[in-house]
Amino acid sequence: MFKKILLILTIITLVGCKATKPVIVTTKKVALKPKSEMVTTVKKSNVPKSAITKPVKKEQTTSETEVIVSTSKTVVTNAVVKAYISQFKEIAMGNMKSFGIPASIILAQGILESGAGVGDLALSANNHFGIKCHEGWTGESVRHDDDSDQECFRKYNNPSESFKDHAIFLTGRSRYSKLFALAKGDYKAWARGLRTAGYATDPKYPDKLIAYIERYNLQQYDREVLDVNYVSNEKQLVAELSIENKNSKGSESYQVLKGDTLYSISKKFELRIDELKQKNNLSDNSLSIGQRLFIK
């Protein structure tokens, strides 16, 4: 009996062990995000979009002024200088072709000596190169303060005569002969050579000429004349200037051109500025191109 009971207990124990077999739990390894996937956040600025400004490129203006000092002190805008170049470049190139003087030098001297066409001598005598009477001059003249008081300066009927006389003046005097051995395109050598030959007493004269040439790219006209295909338009322009000059002197009115000011017009027709304003009911000094002014 004891043996049966022991057998039954053994069987029960074996069955119980199988029922309580431990459960093995497996865990899935979770991969960490690589560093490259890490996201960083930046605090959003409260500055409105309208307050964010982009850098603005500064544009060049043509309203800057030039202070030109030679036979007289003249203050002009860049636009006046450019208008002067446009008006006389063909004559300068024609003179270069005929006389061998670089057009860049002719224009630079004209700008400096005439105050870009609005200096005292240019307005009163059409003298664009500050040429004095000198011995042998039989034409008209005006008196003007320069190195000495009330010196004698040549007077011309129109600007084209002044340009031609300038060429004759340089080619007809032996002291300028060395200039014509220089290369036609070497404006720097010509500028220094003029000072050395005694054209001007100002030691900065060459630097001033070179500055005008480079600032306004006047050397382009030298290259144009030196081109084998260049054809001069000088004669037509000279004729137009002569007609324009005659018409303006005999007319009772004047049409405002680019670069004109009340001062330049008053000088041209020997009027006071206030007189000119009164004749035309002008409240200020502003003018517009094409405006017609009464001068008589």
Side-chain angles (χ1 to χ4, degrees):
M1 184 70 181
F2 179 77
K3 288 183 179 180
K4 287 182 179 180
I5 293 171
L6 184 61
L7 180 61
I8 291 169
L9 289 173
T10 302
I11 292 170
I12 292 171
T13 302
L14 290 173
V15 172
C17 288
K18 288 182 178 181
T20 59
K21 185 177 179 179
V23 178
I24 299 172
V25 180
T26 60
T27 59
K28 186 177 181 180
K29 188 176 181 181
V30 180
L32 293 174
K33 285 187 179 181
K35 290 184 179 180
S36 59
E37 294 182 6
M38 292 178 67
V39 179
T40 58
T41 59
V42 179
K43 186 177 181 181
K44 189 174 180 181
S45 172
N46 293 324
V47 179
K49 288 184 179 179
S50 59
I52 302 173
T53 57
K54 295 181 178 179
V56 180
K57 185 178 180 181
K58 188 178 179 180
E59 296 182 357
Q60 290 185 339
T61 63
T62 56
S63 60
E64 295 177 0
T65 57
E66 296 273 9
V67 180
I68 303 173
V69 180
S70 187
T71 52
S72 62
K73 182 177 181 179
T74 313
V75 180
V76 297
T77 63
N78 289 1
V80 171
V81 178
K82 290 178 180 178
Y84 181 86
I85 294 166
S86 178
Q87 186 176 14
F88 295 110
K89 65 182 181 181
E90 291 293 342
I91 288 182
M93 288 192 288
N95 280 5
M96 178 177 178
K97 185 74 173 178
S98 301
F99 298 95
I101 306 163
S104 60
I105 288 291
I106 296 170
L107 288 169
Q109 281 195 282
I111 293 168
L112 178 57
E113 298 287 352
S114 75
V118 295
D120 292 341
L121 274 178
L123 295 174
S124 65
N126 285 314
N127 190 328
H128 284 237
F129 296 91
I131 299 179
K132 297 177 183 179
C133 293
H134 297 288
E135 187 178 351
W137 175 251
T138 58
E140 290 186 76
S141 63
V142 295
R143 294 287 172 175
H144 183 78
D145 293 345
D146 191 37
D147 296 327
S148 302
D149 294 339
Q150 294 298 290
E151 291 190 79
C152 182
F153 285 85
R154 300 182 182 189
K155 183 177 181 179
Y156 307 95
N157 290 323
N158 57 64
S160 62
E161 290 184 7
S162 178
F163 274 76
K164 186 174 182 180
D165 192 45
H166 168 259
I168 295 171
F169 184 81
L170 292 183
T171 55
R173 281 168 167 71
S174 59
R175 63 175 175 169
Y176 298 114
S177 60
K178 291 182 179 179
L179 291 172
F180 295 89
L182 300 172
K184 299 296 183 288
D186 193 351
Y187 61 86
K188 291 183 180 180
W190 272 82
R192 298 185 186 106
L194 282 166
R195 168 72 177 87
T196 303
Y199 193 96
T201 56
D202 182 1
K204 294 183 179 179
Y205 194 80
D207 295 332
K208 291 177 181 179
L209 295 182
I210 292 169
Y212 283 125
I213 290 170
E214 295 180 347
R215 191 179 311 161
Y216 295 100
N217 193 24
L218 303 183
Q219 64 270 34
Q220 66 178 302
Y221 305 117
D222 297 341
R223 294 193 295 268
E224 195 170 328
V225 176
L226 292 172
D227 190 296
V228 293
N229 297 317
Y230 170 73
V231 177
S232 175
N233 190 35
E234 179 194 6
K235 289 183 179 179
Q236 180 182 345
L237 183 58
V238 168
E240 290 174 358
L241 286 172
S242 299
I243 292 170
E244 178 186 320
N245 192 67
K246 288 178 182 177
N247 289 341
S248 64
K249 284 187 175 180
S251 177
E252 292 187 354
S253 64
Y254 175 76
Q255 188 173 14
V256 177
L257 302 174
K258 186 175 181 180
D260 279 339
T261 64
L262 277 179
Y263 174 75
S264 67
I265 296 171
S266 67
K267 286 286 186 180
K268 187 180 184 73
F269 297 102
E270 298 179 355
L271 295 169
R272 298 191 311 276
I273 292 178
D274 57 350
E275 184 181 358
L276 190 60
K277 291 173 70 173
Q278 186 177 4
K279 284 178 180 291
N280 294 276
N281 296 320
L282 300 176
S283 58
D284 55 35
N285 294 343
S286 60
L287 296 174
S288 57
I289 297 173
Q291 181 179 354
R292 182 68 66 174
L293 297 178
F294 294 107
I295 55 174
K296 289 187 178 181

